[in-house]
Amino acid sequence: MAGRYSNSVDGMSNARLIPLCAAIAAISPGFPPSVHAQTVAESGIVLPGYVTVAELVLGAPVILDARIRSSTRIKGQEAADVAAGRARFYVEADVLALIRAGAPMPARVGYVVDVPLDSRGRVPKLNKQRVLLFARPVAGQPAMVQLTVLDAQRPWSAELDAMVRRVVREVVAPDAPPAITGLGNAFHVPGVLPGEGETQIFVQTATGAPISLSILHRPGAERRWAVALGEIVDDAAGPPPRDTLLWYRLACGLPRELPQASLSAEDPANAAIARQDYRFVLDQLGPCRR
């Protein structure tokens, strides 16, 4: 084992290479690069959109603000599955701040990362770069972390740091909205006046916590909708603000169509209105841009 590793990485001791098997296992072409929203920080770094950041945070039990101390390129068999246009490195980084962690972390961590080559196909200079790392612990190796996805090492910027910390606060809050698993019953109740009525749609969640959507029709007024977290629907509630965790859960988690099973007790006319109202909610939420 030691001989095999020493032939593939230049200048790295066998002791430092032993944990690499677990770390390399997470680096796979099966994780496509994330699609970045074209928002640019003052530093010139292109910022990812809210959806990308939310999915990085939700998938990473460990999030670190770190500065790269050393990097060694990995070649040979241990880099055989690296995607075209990328190079694999073993990196050691000094931890500047713990943004999210379930346990104390060492002052320095090691990990494996596949980084994109520059426009000329050259290997980037990693040393001294400040980065945000989205990772998980490596069992039995407290000084190692494993990046969760291909682009889980991100260039640090004040704007991205602030966004990540905001999403982490949303995710760990006691009342954080849970993941959506499907839709329950839906019904439309016509009002007394022509054009009056209300549609209610019950959302199924991973924790069983209730979420419901209500769409109100009033004569002479625009249709409006609201989301409720809990058993009681608040008539004063409204749609979730964009680029919040609740917006993300709905925009990225709701099915694209209201299933027939949700409308099994409805007559065709009311079922048709409920479907239109559900489509209205999806349109109002906007696309989930990954």
Side-chain angles (χ1 to χ4, degrees), residues 157-181:
S157 70
E159 295 89 342
L160 181 56
D161 186 281
M163 183 187 296
V164 169
R165 291 174 185 271
R166 176 168 69 87
V167 176
V168 169
R169 288 194 294 270
E170 290 181 295
V171 169
V172 303
D175 58 349
I180 290 171
T181 58

Side-chain angles (χ1 to χ4, degrees), residues 186-191 198-199 258-276:
F187 58 88
H188 176 77
V189 179
E198 180 176 359
T199 296
L258 189 59
Q260 181 58 40
S262 296
L263 298 164
S264 58
E266 287 292 275
D267 65 50
N270 288 340
I273 295 173
R275 289 193 185 93
Q276 293 171 6

Side-chain angles (χ1 to χ4, degrees), residues 38 48 95 111 157 191 195 258 280:
Q38 294 302 307
V95 176
Y111 59 94
S157 70
L258 189 59
F280 169 75

Side-chain angles (χ1 to χ4, degrees), residues 71 123-127 129:
S71 58
V123 174
K125 295 180 180 179
L126 299 177
N127 293 1
Q129 281 193 24

Side-chain angles (χ1 to χ4, degrees), residues 12 68 71 76 80 86 101 149 157 167 183 189 217 219 228 235 286 290:
M12 191 183 302
I68 295 176
S71 58
R86 290 187 177 249
V149 292
S157 70
V167 176
L183 294 173
V189 179
H217 299 253
D235 290 338
R290 290 185 168 90

Side-chain angles (χ1 to χ4, degrees), residues 12-62:
M12 191 183 302
S13 68
N14 292 336
R16 290 163 65 197
L17 278 166
I18 291 173
L20 284 184
C21 285
I24 289 175
I27 308 297
S28 167
F31 291 110
S34 300
V35 177
H36 293 189
Q38 294 302 307
T39 304
V40 181
E42 290 184 5
S43 61
I45 295 172
V46 178
L47 298 175
Y50 182 90
V51 171
T52 297
V53 173
E55 293 185 343
L56 284 169
V57 169
L58 288 165
V62 174

Side-chain angles (χ1 to χ4, degrees), residues 39-262:
T39 304
V40 181
E42 290 184 5
S43 61
I45 295 172
V46 178
L47 298 175
Y50 182 90
V51 171
T52 297
V53 173
E55 293 185 343
L56 284 169
V57 169
L58 288 165
V62 174
I63 304 175
L64 305 176
D65 173 0
R67 189 177 303 278
I68 295 176
R69 185 180 185 88
S70 65
S71 58
T72 305
R73 187 169 181 178
I74 302 174
K75 300 179 180 179
Q77 186 175 354
E78 277 65 51
D81 61 343
V82 175
R86 290 187 177 249
R88 179 164 293 170
F89 286 84
Y90 174 76
V91 171
E92 289 191 346
D94 295 324
V95 176
L96 304 178
L98 296 180
I99 298 176
R100 184 183 190 187
M105 297 292 296
R108 186 176 302 162
V109 296
Y111 59 94
V112 174
V113 60
D114 288 1
V115 297
L117 305 178
D118 67 16
S119 59
R120 298 181 181 180
R122 296 178 301 190
V123 174
K125 295 180 180 179
L126 299 177
N127 293 1
K128 298 183 180 180
Q129 281 193 24
R130 188 174 178 182
V131 293
L132 290 171
L133 304 175
F134 300 85
R136 62 176 66 91
V138 176
Q141 299 292 338
M144 289 283 294
V145 295
Q146 184 185 62
L147 299 184
T148 53
V149 292
L150 187 62
D151 286 341
Q153 174 181 284
R154 297 275 175 162
W156 185 93
S157 70
E159 295 89 342
L160 181 56
D161 186 281
M163 183 187 296
V164 169
R165 291 174 185 271
R166 176 168 69 87
V167 176
V168 169
R169 288 194 294 270
E170 290 181 295
V171 169
V172 303
D175 58 349
I180 290 171
T181 58
L183 294 173
N185 292 332
F187 58 88
H188 176 77
V189 179
V192 176
L193 300 176
E196 187 179 46
E198 180 176 359
T199 296
Q200 285 202 352
I201 302 167
F202 295 95
V203 179
Q204 298 169 338
T205 66
T207 63
I211 296 180
S212 61
L213 310 173
S214 60
I215 303 93
L216 296 175
H217 299 253
R218 294 292 182 264
E222 292 186 359
R223 178 170 43 175
R224 65 184 183 89
W225 74 281
V227 57
L229 304 180
E231 300 290 349
I232 300 175
V233 177
D234 183 0
D235 290 338
R242 191 174 180 85
D243 291 351
T244 61
L245 186 60
L246 179 55
W247 170 85
Y248 164 78
R249 291 298 198 193
L250 295 171
C252 299
L254 286 173
R256 296 300 89 189
E257 300 289 342
L258 189 59
Q260 181 58 40
S262 296

